[in-house]
Amino acid sequence: MKTRLRLLPAFILAFSFGTGATTPSFAAPADAFLAAIAAHCGKAYAGRIVANEPRPATPDAFEGKALVMHVRGCESPAQGLRIPFHVGEDHSRTWVLTRTADGLRLKHDHRHADGSPDAVTLYGGDTAEAGSPMRQVFPVDAESRAMFEREGLNASLQNAWAMEIEPGKRFVYELRRPGGRLFQVEFDLTAPVPLPPAPWGD
């Protein structure tokens, strides 16, 4: 544990300099949040749906499937963290977290089995507030809204995603929309699981 704690300041420093900032801010919630996730790099964790409101009339793509997150990409902090999100045998989803000058950016990288991009991919947004070392919120950005409109996904135009982490305890991925839509998956960080296949043969 002491070794892991000694590594975190160096990881935070790398993220700060990776953005081109002239003065690293060790107190920035964004850096602390990324460092907390990076402490789990190279490990995978099982998740479960803890909120899915309103309940869909028919089972959606996540119901009844094994849900696994895999923290990767910590060797290149300037390029951000990559967290593949495996849904059963579907390995098409990866969350990409990068540091910006003002906070964090979340993108959803969706690909087909051959590695080619899906028609709906790299959507997400930047944090609008500092957030905290435990929770960051990502309102949908203009580029993503334009793609959703083009693809007829009007329900997603007001998406807001969030991530939460209690280091060594749990990680939560969240999707929320006005009108009551709430989807959350909680991952148990106390019990690593076998690593799933790397997406797209990476």
Side-chain angles (χ1 to χ4, degrees):
M1 178 60 71
K2 291 182 179 179
T3 300
R4 176 178 291 177
L5 291 176
R6 284 198 298 268
L7 290 173
L8 291 186
F11 188 84
I12 293 173
L13 179 63
F15 264 105
S16 298
F17 280 119
T19 64
T22 56
T23 303
S25 173
F26 294 100
D31 294 320
F33 181 81
L34 284 173
I37 298 175
H40 296 276
C41 223
K43 295 181 179 179
Y45 302 94
R48 63 189 181 93
I49 298 172
V50 294
N52 194 5
E53 304 169 4
R55 296 291 297 179
T58 58
D60 59 28
F62 302 92
E63 292 286 352
K65 303 289 181 62
L67 306 177
V68 176
M69 63 175 281
H70 179 193
V71 184
R72 308 181 69 203
C74 305
E75 66 279 0
S76 302
Q79 298 178 15
L81 296 177
R82 297 185 66 84
I83 308 174
F85 174 36
H86 305 270
V87 180
E89 297 301 314
D90 184 348
H91 311 295
S92 65
R93 301 169 175 86
T94 299
W95 301 319
V96 182
L97 278 171
T98 51
R99 186 69 159 91
T100 66
D102 300 317
L104 294 173
R105 174 172 297 145
L106 169 65
K107 290 291 183 175
H108 298 72
D109 189 350
H110 285 212
R111 306 213 182 189
H112 299 291
D114 63 359
S116 60
D118 191 86
V120 180
T121 190
L122 295 180
Y123 59 86
D126 293 3
T127 53
E129 299 177 351
S132 77
M134 293 181 65
R135 180 176 170 86
Q136 295 286 325
V137 179
F138 308 88
V140 63
D141 59 25
E143 179 183 31
S144 301
R145 284 196 298 268
M147 181 176 59
F148 291 148
E149 287 182 336
R150 184 186 70 234
E151 299 296 326
L153 301 174
N154 294 329
S156 299
L157 296 177
Q158 298 185 69
N159 278 4
W161 299 271
M163 289 181 167
E164 293 183 7
I165 184 167
E166 292 184 59
K169 294 183 178 180
R170 69 185 188 115
F171 177 89
V172 177
Y173 169 82
E174 174 184 301
L175 165 65
R176 188 183 296 269
R177 296 178 188 138
R181 175 58 173 151
L182 176 63
F183 177 79
Q184 291 177 323
V185 181
E186 180 179 282
F187 298 86
D188 181 4
L189 300 183
T190 69
V193 299
L195 298 181
W200 323 308
D202 185 8

